[in-house]
């Protein structure tokens, strides 16, 4: 799931659709709860795969 999420965020960044990288938008897109989505995002941030403030891929 993390890889799908990372790919989605990266695609949004490439298209400069940063507003799609919010917790609400991501949880709705993947049909997962906000808590699970937050845990996945936190994991990606801890792995330094995305930027915490802008949710951009690094």
């Amino acid at each position: 799931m993390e890889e799908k999420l990372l790919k989605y965020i990266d695609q949004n960044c490439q298209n400069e659709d940063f507003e799609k990288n919010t917790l609400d938008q991501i949880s709705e897109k993947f049909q997962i709860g906000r808590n699970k989505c937050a845990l996945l995002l936190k994991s990606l941030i801890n792995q330094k795969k995305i930027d915490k403030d802008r949710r951009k891929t690094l």
Side-chain angles (χ1 to χ4, degrees):
M1 179 58 102
E2 281 184 2
E3 292 303 317
K4 285 183 179 180
L5 183 57
L6 185 59
K7 185 176 179 181
Y8 175 75
I9 292 171
D10 186 46
Q11 186 176 31
N12 290 338
C13 290
Q14 288 178 13
N15 295 332
E16 296 186 11
D17 287 332
F18 303 112
E19 67 277 353
K20 291 184 179 177
N21 290 343
T22 64
L23 185 64
D24 288 332
Q25 294 290 325
I26 294 170
S27 64
E28 185 176 315
K29 166 74 177 169
F30 288 94
Q31 299 291 309
I32 58 175
R34 289 173 43 93
N35 287 340
K36 183 172 183 174
C37 185
L39 290 173
L40 290 168
L41 289 171
K42 185 174 180 176
S43 176
L44 290 172
I45 291 167
N46 289 340
Q47 295 174 46
K48 300 191 186 306
K49 292 186 177 181
I50 60 173
D51 179 32
K52 179 180 179 180
D53 295 323
R54 296 189 182 122
R55 293 216 175 97
K56 293 182 182 178
T57 53
L58 299 175

